Amino acid sequence: MQTDTDTASTRQNDVLTFTALGVSDWNNGEPYKNYYSGDTLFKEETMLADVFPAAASSSTTG
């Protein structure tokens, strides 16, 4: 809130804009990719490796 005097106040509204970053390997650079778990070729491990490649390349022990 900004004020120019002790009694007057002017509210400020922020306008936010979001632009998703595209992925060159997905749907011609679109920022999304569709997965359908009902597809006979769908594998969750493959999807996770595609969405989170850094996580798929590292191994965790626990």
Side-chain angles (χ1 to χ4, degrees):
M1 184 167 17
Q2 277 185 329
T3 61
D4 14 354
T5 65
D6 291 341
T7 59
S9 64
T10 305
R11 296 206 177 265
Q12 299 297 315
N13 294 325
D14 291 332
V15 178
L16 303 176
T17 303
F18 174 77
T19 303
L21 300 176
V23 179
S24 59
D25 293 338
W26 293 357
N27 303 331
N28 297 320
E30 293 293 332
Y32 63 89
K33 187 170 182 178
N34 296 321
Y35 295 94
Y36 175 55
S37 61
D39 188 349
T40 57
L41 299 175
F42 175 80
K43 292 183 182 167
E44 184 177 2
E45 298 81 21
T46 305
M47 178 197 68
L48 292 174
D50 196 21
V51 176
F52 304 107
S57 64
S58 66
S59 62
T60 48
T61 58

